[in-house]
Amino acid sequence: MNLTDQINAAWNWLTASAHWSGSDGIPHRLLEHLGYSALALVIAAVIALPLGALVGHTGRGGFLVVSFANLARAVPTLGLLLLVVTVTSIGLTPVIIPLIALAMPPILVNTYEGIRGVDADIKDAAEGMGMKGPGVLLKAEIPVAMPLILLGLRTAAIQVVATATIAAYAGIGGLGRYIVDGLSRKDYPSVVGGSVLVVLLAVIVQVAFIGLRRALVSPGLRGSSRTS
Amino acid sequence: MIRFDGVTKRYPDGTVAVDDLTLEIPSGQITVFVGPSGCGKTTSLRMINRMIEPTAGTISIDGEDIRKKDASDLRRGIGYVIQHAGLFPHRTIIDNIATVPYLLGWDKKKARATALELMERVGLDTKMAKRYPFQLSGGQQQRVGVARALAADPPVMLMDEPFSAVDPIVRNSLQDEFLRLQSEVRKTIAFVTHDIDEAVKLGHRIAVFQVGGVLAQHATPDELLTNPAEGFVTEFLGGEKGLKRLRFNRELDATEEPAQPEIEDDVEAAER
Amino acid sequence: MSVLAADGEPLIRWNWIGDHSDELTTLTLHHLKLALLPILFGLIVAIPLGIMCVRWRWLYPPTLGVANVFYGIPSLALFMLFIPYFGIGSGGQADFTIILPLTLFSLSVLVPNVVDGLRSVPEPVRQAATAMGFGTLRRLVQVELPIAVPVIIAGARVAAVASISLVSVGVLIGNGGLGQLFIDGYSRDFTTPIIVSCVLIIVLALFSDGVLVTAQRLLTPWARTRRSNG
């Protein structure tokens, strides 16, 4: 089977109307996939954003945060999933835990580096004008670090969307079903078709983050990064 | 009036940045702290708004110990201008200038009206109000820095090498305009520089610091030039030759017409 | 053999490690080969590609777009695409079913870093080199690439750690280095092999990271205090 055959087979699979309805239909699987991804990303962000911001702001514990993130990056997601499944049981939790572990390092490191990298003059001016710690963080440091923070969230989101395919191994849904089931049935069009859907989802995530950047990053920062 | 009384700053590693400083900064005048790097002039300045806390001694403003107030409240009542302006890159010029009024909870309209007025006062075209700092030249950014410090009309202003990051021509015009502005607003100003020419030009009084945080001489510019303390101060002023040059420049300044506000750096930026 | 608590099965049976040391060594070495050859190939491709993207600016946005797409493909899916060409299984030609997709992944990290690194060369330095009579190629090799090394290695570190972790996914198509033990453990409800292989993978990642950091320090003695911005 060469590349053209693969593309044709995937196209036929994707356009077959039977694949667009029911609980094993593409819309349903897509929503499941988005659901797991969003849940993992939100939990990771709720932990990593404040932690990264706090460490970047105080300058304390930076070494620990970076070391932890490097260690977490090295953890094999599939191994963690199968371990959690073996120890607990099949279900949502074993899927979410490895995905959170996957999403945290980029969010944590980028938030930390972004806040830490804010020009000392800006922080000095903010304090000198009478902003208190939280004020400096919210009104000066976070807005200035926003491009990097969003980059971390984007990296995490794309990795999570691509990796959420492993949910199928924990016996639950998502687009991974097409890949994993296709693999065991030697149904390659299903595997390729499922993969194409995941890639499309990753592209949509990229586009969504372009929109977020427009909305959340001040034009004053976009301009400076363009000219420098 | 700002008063330093036996103020010392010693760091945990034993370095003494400021050594037993006693000094008065009279109201409505410019007092310049001058000296080489490592002389404690910036540390002294930053102790006035409690960006740095002294190890010993007291600092008071109009008779009130600055430690009695919450540090943030104190700072909101003191204008602060630093070398690279430290403008918020994510905020427009007008919102940068209105930072302290916003912090003080002013009505947004009033804060912006004040900011616009200040833009004119420091010689900025109000058409720039909606621009961002990166779109301005260095000289213009520094003007924004001064306007921002003046926004809540604080009686005291601290200025840490505000003009040293711009080129000499722009610096000269900024200095002239600063003097003109000060003749209108009459703030109590502590001004740090390492440039003795700037000190002589701007200061009503000059405090010369030497390495180790020791106040070597505190005098008016004329006293300083006619009667410099032996040793460090004379050397810092450039010896006999340097003194001659400084005295000559001072006479020149005194006889010259008050300088017209320069517009060169605006023109330069408008062309961008 | 069933789950722990139920019959008191511990998370780790230490004697299992000793009994399987030969297998562990073989798997570890194979894992390293599958994970690190892609980084080597990736650098061989990314450096010239990055140079071209800097030389011809229009080339960069589409290249970056393609790289970002690779980044979003599930690794398993990418492995699948290569099965028809190199086959399935472990060792020999079939290893390329794993190595080539991981090379593509590494490119998505390496190319942007090569470009950023080359762009981080200060313009005055470039001009000074030209003014002293460096030709384009000599300037590239002797001035620009050395200055770009910290950023390129920062990319290689991220790519290497990711690659070492991703190899294990290959076990789902029968060739995953230490990932083999995930399935062995999972299918027998036996945690020891899963934990041991996870730990070995983490150790391999940290070890490779350490090697790359050392390489950078040796290659760029002038940049020791500067932090890399990759």
Side-chain angles (χ1 to χ4, degrees):
Chain A
M1 189 151 76
N2 63 29
L3 196 63
T4 334
D5 294 339
Q6 287 187 346
I7 292 170
N8 280 335
W11 179 254
N12 290 336
W13 183 90
L14 279 170
T15 49
S17 59
H19 294 136
W20 284 89
S21 60
S23 69
D24 194 38
I26 290 170
H28 184 240
R29 292 291 182 223
L30 199 66
L31 279 180
E32 284 177 335
H33 199 97
L34 273 178
Y36 310 143
S37 304
L39 183 62
L41 195 65
V42 166
I43 295 175
V46 164
I47 302 168
L49 284 178
L51 188 61
L54 194 71
V55 173
H57 176 71
T58 59
R60 282 182 201 159
F63 178 76
L64 270 178
V65 158
V66 173
S67 310
F68 164 77
N70 280 341
L71 197 70
R73 267 192 235 268
V75 175
T77 311
L78 180 66
L80 188 56
L81 173 81
L82 295 181
L83 180 64
V84 179
V85 172
T86 310
V87 174
T88 61
S89 64
I90 276 176
L92 187 61
T93 322
V95 176
I96 297 297
I97 289 176
L99 291 182
I100 294 171
L102 183 71
M104 272 184 47
I107 303 177
L108 191 59
V109 168
N110 277 276
T111 307
Y112 161 70
E113 293 277 2
I115 302 269
R116 190 184 66 141
V118 173
D119 197 347
D121 281 335
I122 294 171
K123 287 184 259 189
D124 188 59
E127 279 173 33
M129 286 186 292
M131 286 187 184
K132 295 178 203 274
V136 176
L137 187 62
L138 292 175
K139 290 178 192 159
E141 291 174 322
I142 289 180
V144 174
M146 191 54 83
L148 260 183
I149 295 175
L150 283 180
L151 191 66
L153 283 168
R154 190 189 76 172
T155 306
I158 290 173
Q159 286 188 342
V160 166
V161 164
T163 312
T165 45
I166 62 169
Y169 275 90
I172 57 175
L175 296 170
R177 282 257 71 88
Y178 299 132
I179 299 174
V180 172
D181 295 347
L183 202 55
S184 60
R185 291 197 310 256
K186 303 246 185 277
D187 174 4
Y188 291 135
S190 163
V191 175
V192 178
S195 308
V196 168
L197 290 172
V198 175
V199 173
L200 281 179
L201 209 52
V203 171
I204 291 169
V205 168
Q206 300 250 20
V207 173
F209 271 90
I210 294 174
L212 266 181
R213 191 175 151 85
R214 290 245 163 89
L216 295 179
V217 174
S218 155
L221 294 167
R222 267 184 262 154
S224 61
S225 61
R226 186 162 26 120
T227 51
S228 71
Chain B
M1 185 179 73
I2 304 167
R3 193 180 152 76
F4 285 77
D5 223 333
V7 173
T8 295
K9 177 65 192 179
R10 185 182 295 109
Y11 285 100
D13 68 356
T15 330
V16 175
V18 177
D19 192 6
D20 194 23
L21 176 67
T22 297
L23 176 74
E24 276 183 7
I25 298 171
S27 298
Q29 293 195 346
I30 302 171
T31 298
V32 178
F33 297 180
V34 69
S37 44
C39 71
K41 54 190 193 296
T42 295
T43 308
S44 301
L45 184 89
R46 287 163 62 90
M47 286 195 290
I48 299 174
N49 64 354
R50 293 183 60 187
M51 296 293 279
I52 297 174
E53 298 284 357
T55 322
T58 54
I59 300 171
S60 57
I61 298 179
D62 293 331
E64 196 187 357
D65 189 333
I66 57 169
R67 278 171 301 190
K68 282 192 178 156
K69 260 194 188 169
D70 170 72
S72 300
D73 290 339
L74 175 80
R75 290 172 194 160
R76 289 173 198 181
I78 298 178
Y80 186 52
V81 188
I82 56 178
Q83 188 173 357
H84 296 282
L87 300 182
F88 292 163
H90 58 293
R91 288 195 184 172
T92 56
I93 300 310
I94 189 166
D95 284 338
N96 258 291
I97 297 175
T99 303
V100 178
Y102 289 156
L103 280 176
L104 292 171
W106 288 19
D107 168 62
K108 199 162 185 169
K109 238 174 156 180
K110 182 185 164 199
R112 290 196 160 183
T114 308
L116 275 180
E117 199 185 307
L118 275 164
M119 284 186 76
E120 284 177 6
R121 280 196 109 156
V122 299
L124 284 168
D125 191 336
T126 48
K127 273 187 282 189
M128 294 180 185
K130 294 283 175 197
R131 291 201 195 157
Y132 287 93
F134 80 93
Q135 294 168 303
L136 269 56
S137 71
Q140 289 169 332
Q141 291 191 16
Q142 217 48 59
R143 286 166 201 256
V144 176
V146 172
R148 185 170 70 170
L150 285 167
D153 200 21
V156 175
M157 295 241 290
L158 308 179
M159 308 181 77
D160 188 2
E161 308 233 11
F163 307 140
S164 53
V166 291
D167 69 70
I169 296 173
V170 175
R171 185 187 311 147
N172 226 332
S173 77
L174 287 173
Q175 289 167 343
D176 291 338
E177 283 190 59
F178 169 61
L179 284 176
R180 178 183 54 75
L181 192 63
Q182 166 65 357
S183 70
E184 295 167 15
V185 296
R186 305 235 171 249
K187 301 293 182 192
T188 306
I189 295 175
F191 188 111
V192 162
T193 182
H194 61 267
D195 174 3
I196 185 64
D197 292 84
E198 186 168 65
V200 171
K201 178 171 177 180
L202 300 181
H204 295 105
R205 304 185 67 86
I206 298 176
V208 185
F209 286 70
Q210 74 185 70
V211 178
V214 177
L215 180 61
Q217 187 168 10
H218 181 212
T220 65
D222 290 325
E223 275 167 26
L224 188 72
L225 295 185
T226 48
N227 215 352
E230 290 287 319
F232 172 77
V233 176
T234 309
E235 204 181 304
F236 184 71
L237 297 178
E240 265 317 306
K241 218 170 161 185
L243 276 166
K244 235 181 217 164
R245 184 181 61 84
L246 287 164
R247 284 180 201 132
F248 178 76
N249 285 347
R250 183 144 182 87
E251 273 168 35
L252 212 63
D253 277 349
T255 52
E256 225 176 40
E257 292 286 306
Q260 289 299 310
E262 298 260 354
I263 52 163
E264 271 163 76
D265 63 323
D266 296 333
V267 173
E268 166 212 342
E271 283 165 0
R272 287 168 171 219
Chain C
M1 210 175 296
S2 80
V3 194
L4 32 144
D7 56 358
E9 171 73 26
L11 269 177
I12 285 208
R13 282 172 175 268
W14 293 101
N15 58 350
W16 183 89
I17 301 176
D19 295 346
H20 292 78
S21 59
D22 286 350
E23 191 191 351
L24 286 174
T25 313
T26 315
L27 286 176
T28 303
L29 289 177
H30 192 55
H31 195 105
L32 267 184
K33 176 191 167 195
L34 292 178
L36 296 186
L37 274 181
I39 305 303
L40 184 67
F41 294 162
L43 282 170
I44 290 172
V45 177
I47 290 175
L49 193 58
I51 290 169
M52 287 196 285
C53 287
V54 173
R55 175 73 183 73
W56 296 290
R57 283 176 156 265
W58 57 267
L59 200 59
Y60 189 44
T63 309
L64 193 63
V66 173
N68 277 337
V69 168
F70 278 126
Y71 197 70
I73 302 180
S75 41
L76 181 57
L78 208 50
F79 295 154
M80 299 295 310
L81 286 181
F82 286 82
I83 291 179
Y85 305 98
F86 301 107
I88 208 159
S90 173
Q93 197 195 349
D95 281 352
F96 283 93
T97 309
I98 305 296
I99 290 172
L100 287 186
L102 289 181
T103 304
L104 291 176
F105 270 118
S106 77
L107 287 179
S108 67
V109 179
L110 289 173
V111 173
N113 276 61
V114 171
V115 171
D116 289 348
L118 288 174
R119 286 189 181 163
S120 77
V121 178
E123 192 52 37
V125 172
R126 209 189 305 268
Q127 286 178 6
T130 313
M132 284 184 288
F134 280 77
T136 310
L137 187 65
R138 181 184 291 265
R139 189 184 66 194
L140 192 65
V141 173
Q142 295 188 352
V143 180
E144 293 171 331
L145 279 176
I147 292 178
V149 160
V151 184
I152 296 175
I153 292 201
R157 289 173 61 189
V158 172
V161 171
S163 185
I164 287 171
S165 167
L166 283 175
V167 163
S168 59
V169 175
V171 68
L172 301 176
I173 57 162
N175 187 13
L178 287 162
Q180 185 57 47
L181 300 174
F182 295 163
I183 299 296
D184 289 354
Y186 177 61
S187 56
R188 290 189 291 151
D189 235 347
F190 179 32
T191 50
T192 302
I194 307 183
I195 294 174
V196 168
S197 52
C198 277
V199 169
L200 279 174
I201 286 170
I202 293 171
V203 169
L204 282 185
L206 296 183
F207 172 74
S208 318
D209 200 48
V211 169
L212 283 168
V213 172
T214 313
Q216 181 191 328
R217 298 189 116 230
L218 292 176
L219 284 171
T220 61
W222 63 86
R224 262 172 211 173
T225 52
R226 227 175 46 193
R227 77 195 170 93
S228 63
N229 47 353

